[in-house]
Amino acid sequence: MKLEEMTIDELIKSVCIASANDAMYALSELVATTNENFIKMMNEKVKELKLINTNFVNVTGFDDENHYTTAYDMACIALELLKYKDIILPYTSTYDSYIRNDTNNPFWLVNTNKMVKYYQGMDGLKTGYTSKAGFCLTSTAKRNDVRLISVIMKADSSANRNAMTK
C-alpha cells in the first residue's frame, strides 16, 4: 500500500472544501493522538458550550443512533467556530482549489457548498449528507456588516437545502 503525505493546509482544505472524511480522521489523530480522543474532545467542547442535544461518536457525521445534534446546537457550534473566522473562512469560502499542486498528480477540490460561488456574502461553513440526516448545511453569510448563520437539516435534496438557506 502506498502512503501519501499531506500538509495540514491540504488536510484542512480537503475537509472544508470537499468534506473529505479521511482527511478529518487524519486531522483528529494529529490533534488528539487517536480518533477516540478527538471525539472525547468534541464532546467536552459540547459540554463547555452547554449544548444538551448533541453527542458525537465519530468525526465524520456518519449515522449512528448515539451520534446526534440539533439545528440550534449546530448554530451555537458555528458561532463558536466563527471566533476563528480569520483562520477558517478562507478555507470554507473557497469554491475550488487544488491539493498536491506541486506534483504530477494534482487533485482538484470543489466546494460541496455551491452557494459560496453563487450567493452574495456566503463564506461557509459545512455541508453534510447521510441517508438518515438528509442534506444538511450549516452556513454563514455576511452582507453590509451583518453576519447570519443558517442551519438546514434533513432536506430532501441539495437544491432544496440551498433554497431554504437563501
Side-chain angles (χ1 to χ4, degrees):
M1 175 169 62
K2 182 182 173 192
L3 296 178
E4 181 176 11
E5 287 186 27
M6 296 178 75
T7 66
I8 293 171
D9 179 66
E10 290 174 322
L11 290 170
I12 294 172
K13 262 190 202 180
S14 298
V15 169
C16 293
I17 297 172
S19 291
N21 292 324
D22 51 348
M24 187 61 234
Y25 201 95
L27 284 167
S28 74
E29 289 186 335
L30 177 69
V31 169
T33 311
T34 67
N35 187 256
E36 293 75 20
N37 286 344
F38 191 81
I39 294 164
K40 186 184 285 186
M41 291 171 67
M42 290 168 63
N43 286 311
E44 288 169 0
K45 189 66 172 182
V46 163
K47 288 177 186 165
E48 178 187 319
L49 295 174
K50 297 180 175 54
L51 305 178
I52 59 171
N53 295 305
T54 296
N55 186 65
F56 297 116
V57 297
N58 60 63
V59 298
T60 59
F62 289 158
D63 290 335
D64 184 292
E65 194 170 299
N66 293 313
H67 188 99
Y68 54 85
T69 192
T70 64
Y72 175 83
D73 285 3
M74 288 309 300
C76 291
I77 291 168
L79 191 59
E80 179 70 12
L81 184 58
L82 286 171
K83 290 180 180 177
Y84 310 95
K85 66 181 182 288
D86 293 340
I87 297 170
I88 198 67
L89 292 182
Y91 291 105
T92 62
S93 65
T94 300
Y95 180 73
D96 66 340
S97 187
Y98 283 88
I99 58 171
R100 289 183 283 197
N101 215 11
D102 58 348
T103 71
N104 292 334
N105 194 20
F107 190 84
W108 186 37
L109 303 171
V110 177
N111 203 318
T112 54
N113 179 5
K114 304 300 182 232
M115 292 181 67
V116 299
K117 184 172 184 177
Y118 301 109
Y119 187 80
Q120 181 188 358
M122 178 70 60
D123 53 10
L125 280 166
K126 186 71 181 78
T127 63
Y129 173 82
T130 67
S131 58
K132 188 174 177 181
F135 291 86
C136 303
L137 173 58
T138 299
S139 61
T140 180
K142 184 176 181 184
R143 287 189 194 169
N144 302 322
D145 293 325
V146 175
R147 178 170 297 284
L148 298 175
I149 294 172
S150 170
V151 180
I152 303 297
M153 300 176 130
K154 212 163 177 74
D156 60 359
S157 69
S158 59
N160 285 339
R161 174 194 69 198
N162 293 349
M164 287 185 275
T165 299
K166 287 179 198 176

